[in-house]
Amino acid sequence: MGLAPLPEGVSFEGATPHQVVIIGSGPAGYTAALYAARANLNPVVYTGLEPGGQLTTTTDVENYPGYVDGVLGPEMMEHFKAQAERFGADVRFGIVSHLDLSERPFRLVVDEEEPLLAETVIVATGATARYLGLENEKRLLGRGVSACATCDGAFFRGVDLAIVGGGDTAMEESLFLTRFAKKVWLIHRREALRASRIMQQRVFDNDKIQIIWDTIVTDVLGRDEVERVRLRNVKTGAERDLAVKGLFVAIGHDPNTGLFKSWLEMDDLGYIKTMPDSTRTNIQGVFACGDAQDHTYRQAVTAAGTGCMAAIDAERFLASV
Ligand code: NDP
């Protein structure tokens, strides 16, 4: 394995190792922090670029146990953070940019320059939205192309929009977009949705949403802003343009695990491999939880569950060495 070197000039001399360093601040990271803090391990959490993780780009969360009337995603993540901090978790805004996991204490570098030593590392870096990979999609990103309806939906009042995808995210986001848009075209590459039945039904029942089946987006057209999307029916090959002011992409996510590629074993999709019934990775003292290692469930509650497991695994590991 080719190991990326640490940046020159960063010295670890005199640094005191933290017992637990948690990388990532979604439900997994904060739950790991809560449990590690309550175990008196004084965890440090590095939030990454998006403190709170993907849930901060969601609206209503209706399926997190305990919130009878639902809760807003960003608000829920504030609750997670506050609860971890109440027991002494040290939450810091920063990005772990480099690491060396060859021996303990592990050597980490934050924001390219700050040295950090860790007896254990909990990886909770989550996942990031996927795009279609079209040239014009990239060019028009932020000018009508978006992967976050919650963030950008309100900019599109009274206009027609397109959204791509057939999973729960696409359902949730298309429903959300109907609050603003005149019409929402839901474009799906197959003839059946992948989303849960309850979400499908909500979409079917919404008069503002019209589904275009068996169809892919082959181009996004517009000079400075999105004006049209080009569609191709995958069964007939027929092409046509659809006039829309925005294109929302909701086709799944990729795990944020690039930083660990040289060190941790991963599956073909880049999800970190963990031992059966545990959050242990191939390196002793390094644990992985949440969407960075789970491509099956990917729920806030399962991420929180594995975050709890990671903290307990780290605690037991520290007690055993
Ligand atoms: P999914 O992987 O479930 O769905 C992705 C969708 O995008 C699929 O319909 C897929 O098509 C389509 N797709 C993938 N790649 C392309 C492409 N290149 N071009 C066109 N279409 C493409 O991702 P989601 O983000 O929707 O959901 C992830 C997980 O999070 C799921 O487990 C989901 O249940 C959960 N979730 C739950 C919510 C809730 O309960 N409130 C809300 C949001 C997500 P195909 O079906 O053909 O593969």
Side-chain angles (χ1 to χ4, degrees):
M1 283 190 281
L3 303 181
L6 297 178
E8 272 178 41
V10 177
S11 166
F12 291 84
E13 215 169 304
T16 312
H18 296 280
Q19 303 258 68
V20 179
V21 170
I22 297 163
I23 310 176
S25 57
Y30 281 144
T31 305
L34 169 66
Y35 273 75
R38 283 176 54 80
N40 279 336
L41 295 173
N42 305 314
V44 177
V45 180
Y46 279 92
T47 61
L49 263 186
E50 194 175 65
Q54 291 177 75
L55 276 167
T56 57
T57 62
T58 313
T59 44
D60 301 325
V61 179
E62 294 180 337
N63 52 9
Y64 199 88
Y67 289 102
V68 180
D69 300 317
V71 60
L72 293 173
E75 194 183 334
M76 183 166 98
M77 293 324 298
E78 279 304 315
H79 295 165
F80 270 67
K81 176 170 179 269
Q83 195 177 1
E85 285 180 328
R86 185 179 147 212
F87 295 100
D90 180 357
V91 180
R92 302 176 182 177
F93 182 75
I95 296 168
V96 175
S97 53
H98 301 76
L99 40 76
D100 178 350
L101 303 178
S102 55
E103 57 181 357
R104 290 188 32 254
F106 303 120
R107 297 191 299 164
L108 284 64
V109 177
V110 179
D111 296 332
E112 311 278 336
E113 58 180 22
E114 189 193 326
L116 189 77
L117 293 177
E119 292 293 352
T120 62
V121 170
I122 294 178
V123 180
T125 45
T128 296
R130 222 179 263 157
Y131 285 88
L132 296 168
L134 304 169
E135 201 58 39
N136 283 328
E137 175 193 38
K138 209 185 292 173
R139 182 175 62 83
L140 292 168
L141 191 62
R143 297 167 178 201
V145 174
S146 168
C148 177
T150 323
C151 320
D152 301 326
F155 298 124
F156 297 91
R157 286 175 199 274
V159 298
D160 287 5
L161 298 175
I163 180 162
V164 187
D168 278 325
T169 304
M171 302 307 111
E172 195 175 71
E173 301 217 328
S174 51
L175 288 162
F176 179 74
L177 289 172
T178 60
R179 296 187 197 182
F180 313 101
K182 193 164 77 184
K183 182 173 191 84
V184 177
W185 299 94
L186 175 61
I187 300 160
H188 184 41
R189 64 184 177 183
R190 291 191 292 132
E191 58 190 4
L193 298 171
R194 176 181 296 276
S196 56
R197 283 192 185 270
I198 183 170
M199 295 300 283
Q200 291 194 27
Q201 199 54 51
R202 284 183 195 172
V203 164
F204 295 149
D205 290 344
N206 192 307
D207 292 340
K208 279 189 171 181
I209 304 174
Q210 190 165 337
I211 305 181
I212 304 180
W213 301 102
D214 296 317
T215 296
I216 57 171
V217 174
T218 56
D219 207 350
V220 194
L221 305 164
R223 213 166 72 104
D224 300 319
E225 291 179 340
V226 173
E227 291 166 14
R228 283 169 294 137
V229 288
R230 184 150 296 161
L231 306 180
R232 184 165 68 231
N233 184 301
V234 292
K235 286 196 171 150
T236 65
E239 282 204 304
R240 66 163 163 141
D241 286 0
L242 184 70
V244 287
K245 292 283 184 198
L247 172 68
F248 286 82
V249 183
I251 60 169
H253 295 82
D254 291 314
N256 301 322
T257 55
L259 178 66
F260 310 97
K261 277 233 150 66
S262 314
W263 300 102
L264 301 181
E265 283 175 9
M266 298 179 190
D267 68 12
D268 295 343
L269 298 173
Y271 290 89
I272 297 169
K273 286 187 184 173
T274 48
M275 311 289 169
D277 300 324
S278 142
T279 62
R280 282 181 295 139
T281 67
N282 57 301
I283 295 184
Q284 288 214 355
V286 180
F287 306 88
C289 52
D291 287 9
Q293 56 87 51
D294 165 30
H295 54 84
T296 309
Y297 303 104
R298 292 182 293 188
Q299 301 298 299
V301 66
T302 49
T306 54
C308 159
M309 289 164 64
I312 292 175
D313 287 343
E315 183 189 354
R316 291 187 179 154
F317 172 79
L318 287 167
S320 73
V321 290

